Amino acid sequence: MAAEPIVLFDDGHHKCLMFDSLVTGEGVQSNQFLIVDGKHEALIDPGGDLTYTPLSVAASRYMNIRDMDYVFASHQDPDIIGAIDRWIVHTRAKIVTSRLWARFLPHLVSSYVTNQLSGSVYDRIVSIPDAGANVKFGDSFLQCLPAHFMHSVGNLQFYDPVSKILFSGDLGASLGGEDDHLPVKDFDKHIPSMIGFHRRYIASQKVCRLWANMVREMDVAMIVPQHGKRFEGPVMVDRFLNWVSDMECGIDLMTQDNYRRPVDYV
Ligand SMILES: [Fe+2]
Ligand SMILES: [Fe+2]
């Protein structure tokens, strides 16, 4: 675990920083991302209350976070956007998410916070259609890619054309490994820390294959998931795309045994 953010990319003007060790205690290890382009800032999948304070302090090194441009949320989970109320009240950031979740996210914001806002929470949400969209950011843009059913029904991934990093959300996630601040070194040894999560959380092989076809046509230097280690360089990116395309998961594996009335008590 690294206390300081990991610099994934930095050309002096454009930076991609990853925090891998802000979640402590019961929460699952998660990575949060800060993208800086000159005087513009965006967060990707910043998480919940546990990570709000350290992330806002880190972001304050580059600008007054009140003026932060965006918070990108790949989907609706608590480890992704649980602290939406705090980002909404303490910054002017727009929350970018799938249109499937745009009307549900305001449920996370209390009336206490809503009353402090001049407009409605919904006015602060940029709702991305199923086809995805490019969102202008600083001198560049961030590309919201469709990643439906991986794992959420309305799921986005975020591609940064400057760094060529694909922020893949829960796809490629690994759990229970060590040294999550380092990239994957040995792909075969890494598979056991990914397989259980993907079999249960990702919907089907069909969507993985369709997604991999899209990504193979892109210029991707690095795939960085929201949990665990990242895949750096063309060889590792290719290995991940092949692995995820060949993996049966989700509804591919369901049988009648998964749908029986329980007899046990918890
Ligand atoms: Fe999730
Ligand atoms: Fe997650």
Side-chain angles (χ1 to χ4, degrees):
M1 291 260 182
E4 284 296 300
I6 290 104
V7 180
L8 298 175
F9 181 88
D10 185 358
D11 68 3
H13 179 78
H14 189 89
K15 301 177 182 28
C16 299
L17 307 178
M18 176 175 108
F19 299 82
D20 77 303
S21 57
L22 301 183
V23 177
T24 52
E26 312 280 304
V28 69
Q29 186 278 340
S30 305
N31 302 319
Q32 300 81 32
F33 307 99
L34 172 63
I35 318 293
V36 182
D37 192 88
K39 287 282 166 205
H40 296 270
E41 279 192 343
L43 288 163
I44 294 178
D45 293 346
D49 262 5
L50 275 173
T51 51
Y52 170 78
T53 302
L55 270 180
S56 56
V57 168
S60 303
R61 287 182 199 159
Y62 303 96
M63 66 183 293
N64 181 345
I65 63 158
R66 277 212 73 72
D67 299 322
M68 179 181 294
D69 299 55
Y70 299 109
V71 173
F72 287 85
S74 59
H75 58 295
Q76 80 289 3
D77 276 352
D79 60 324
I80 296 293
I81 194 63
I84 183 176
D85 53 343
R86 303 184 74 171
W87 295 111
I88 279 184
V89 82
H90 295 302
T91 76
R92 294 193 184 96
K94 295 264 189 188
I95 315 296
V96 183
T97 196
S98 157
R99 72 176 176 87
L100 270 69
W101 299 117
R103 286 277 176 196
F104 292 90
L105 288 186
H107 284 263
L108 289 170
V109 183
S110 70
S111 55
Y112 173 76
V113 167
T114 311
N115 292 338
Q116 295 180 53
L117 302 175
S118 46
S120 76
V121 172
Y122 190 67
D123 291 342
R124 298 281 299 277
I125 295 178
V126 178
S127 160
I128 301 293
D130 272 353
N134 301 319
V135 175
K136 284 190 180 135
F137 170 61
D139 295 336
S140 179
F141 64 96
L142 286 176
Q143 190 157 53
C144 302
L145 294 164
H148 315 305
F149 301 107
M150 306 172 81
H151 64 94
S152 175
V153 289
N155 211 121
L156 301 172
Q157 293 179 357
F158 306 110
Y159 176 69
D160 173 13
V162 179
S163 64
K164 302 186 184 345
I165 295 174
L166 173 58
F167 297 94
S168 62
D170 281 324
L171 195 72
S174 54
L175 301 174
E178 289 177 352
D179 298 329
D180 288 325
H181 59 290
L182 299 174
V184 173
K185 285 270 174 344
D186 182 327
F187 191 87
D188 293 316
K189 280 194 182 147
H190 187 60
I191 291 173
S193 63
M194 297 193 286
I195 189 80
F197 178 85
H198 285 75
R199 280 189 178 141
R200 185 62 186 89
Y201 279 82
I202 303 297
S204 81
Q205 186 181 39
K206 177 180 175 178
V207 293
C208 291
R209 287 187 169 173
L210 297 173
W211 172 85
N213 292 341
M214 171 182 70
V215 176
R216 282 196 184 97
E217 303 207 330
M218 297 167 54
D219 185 5
V220 175
M222 204 185 290
I223 294 178
V224 188
Q226 190 234 344
H227 307 282
K229 289 188 186 341
R230 61 193 181 273
F231 305 90
E232 271 189 23
V235 173
M236 280 297 169
V237 166
D238 214 45
R239 286 229 50 194
F240 179 71
L241 295 178
N242 292 339
W243 177 77
V244 87
S245 303
D246 289 342
M247 172 193 64
E248 289 198 315
C249 61
I251 59 173
D252 306 326
L253 302 171
M254 291 287 131
T255 67
Q256 191 64 61
D257 280 342
N258 299 104
Y259 297 87
R260 296 196 191 285
R261 297 176 65 207
V263 291
D264 295 332
Y265 291 85
V266 290

